[in-house]
Amino acid sequence: MISLKNVHKSFGQTEVLRGISMDVMKGEVVCIIGPSGSGKSTLIRCINALNDIQGGSITVEGQELRDPKLDLLALRKKVGMVFQQYNLFPHKTALENVMMAPIKVLKQNRAEVEIRARALMKKVRLEGKEDAYPGELSGGQQQRVAIARSLAMNPDVMLFDEVTAALDPETVKEVLVTIKDLAAEGMTCILVTHEMGFAREIADRVYFTDRGVIVEYGPPQSFFDDAKDPRTKQFLSQIL
Ligand code: ADP
Ligand code: MG
């Protein structure tokens, strides 16, 4: 579904991704871990073309992202993204936040969008909170609204960039449960996360990045219990 081949990305003179290759198949859950500044956010931002790349190639469902004829809207519809900052519209209710993009961007029928949005609120376990404003919700609840908002575009793959990093510890779990539900339904997911227990439980493969390269990757059990590269071992010893 997603294929990165020898991806290079620079900001000015600084090369941030230095030859990244990765393949993700439909329904797979891939976790990316690594020290701060290693290029994790940059990498997943490249997958929905929020960042351009200077070398290599990225294809999403066969569509080459460097193709000048790339339909950005179609790509962003296929590839949902959730960030650490959920950035809900504060003056709109949770339900309105979920409904907004399909109505405004995709020009879909309001009544149909509302039916789907209500189902999505239920899916992220926020039934009953439809009419709440973001300020009335916990961080974890707001993040789940953000996930529902992204799902409202009916994506084929979801990218999650440290979505629990800014949350109070007691609300982290409810967001992880939501992601787990999605993965169990077969959603293709790429997650940057520091939640190692979660990565171990949910991932088909774990990638460790350091300074713009993939140092090591593998299925979670061998990755966590039997890391080979000294950099991976050192990182895991600090975090686990
Ligand atoms: P991570 O998510 O692993 O913490 P990032 O992908 O955010 O790492 O950043 C990787 C490197 O790229 C860092 O050195 C960061 O300062 C740099 N970087 C990220 N975004 C930009 C930008 N828009 N302009 C310049 N440098 C950037
Ligand atoms: Mg980051």
Side-chain angles (χ1 to χ4, degrees):
M1 173 172 256
I2 293 173
S3 179
L4 285 76
K5 292 200 175 25
N6 196 25
V7 169
H8 288 258
K9 163 75 192 166
S10 302
F11 292 107
Q13 299 295 329
T14 316
E15 194 170 39
V16 170
L17 302 179
R18 301 183 294 138
I20 299 271
S21 298
M22 178 185 287
D23 287 293
V24 182
M25 318 240 255
K26 189 172 162 54
E28 278 192 320
V29 176
V30 160
C31 288
I32 302 170
I33 65 172
S36 178
S38 60
K40 306 178 298 297
S41 295
T42 304
L43 171 61
I44 65 167
R45 288 168 58 87
C46 288
I47 297 172
N48 70 351
L50 282 172
N51 285 331
D52 61 348
I53 61 174
Q54 282 76 47
S57 74
I58 302 178
T59 55
V60 175
E61 293 183 331
Q63 170 74 67
E64 158 64 60
L65 302 196
R66 293 176 88 189
D67 183 341
K69 295 194 296 276
L70 174 70
D71 181 345
L72 257 188
L73 177 60
L75 175 74
R76 302 255 166 87
K77 228 179 98 180
K78 272 195 287 221
V79 183
M81 183 152 182
V82 185
F83 304 88
Q84 184 173 322
Q85 292 317 113
Y86 16 86
N87 292 329
L88 300 175
F89 289 100
H91 55 287
K92 302 263 184 200
T93 66
L95 188 71
E96 287 165 347
N97 268 279
V98 177
M99 291 174 62
M100 197 170 312
I103 291 172
K104 300 264 187 228
V105 181
L106 304 182
K107 314 286 181 208
Q108 290 175 351
N109 172 280
R110 186 175 184 94
E112 286 165 21
V113 171
E114 181 169 340
I115 292 170
R116 269 194 9 250
R118 288 187 182 280
L120 286 171
M121 287 292 287
K122 202 166 161 183
K123 189 199 272 276
V124 300
R125 305 185 187 204
L126 284 175
E127 206 176 7
K129 296 290 185 189
E130 289 82 0
D131 298 326
Y133 287 87
E136 300 168 330
L137 300 172
S138 73
Q141 289 172 331
Q142 290 185 61
Q143 189 59 288
R144 284 183 284 150
V145 174
I147 292 171
R149 174 180 60 180
S150 193
L151 292 171
M153 299 293 271
N154 209 10
D156 293 340
V157 53
M158 287 287 287
L159 311 177
F160 296 94
D161 190 0
E162 297 198 34
V163 295
T164 60
L167 299 179
D168 294 329
E170 63 270 23
T171 68
V172 166
K173 195 160 173 225
E174 63 198 31
V175 174
L176 297 182
V177 165
T178 297
I179 297 172
K180 216 158 86 180
D181 288 347
L182 275 179
E185 284 174 17
M187 176 63 81
T188 310
C189 296
I190 303 178
L191 302 109
V192 176
T193 184
H194 291 302
E195 300 287 338
M196 296 300 146
F198 178 67
R200 181 192 280 267
E201 193 182 338
I202 194 179
D204 292 302
R205 268 191 316 292
V206 182
Y207 287 79
F208 174 67
T209 59
D210 191 20
R211 289 175 229 172
V213 298
I214 291 168
V215 173
E216 183 165 0
Y217 68 93
Q221 200 183 339
S222 57
F223 180 88
F224 287 112
D225 298 338
D226 194 19
K228 299 280 185 278
D229 191 282
R231 283 171 290 177
T232 317
K233 283 186 190 169
Q234 203 216 343
F235 180 79
L236 291 176
S237 73
Q238 286 166 351
I239 208 158
L240 287 177

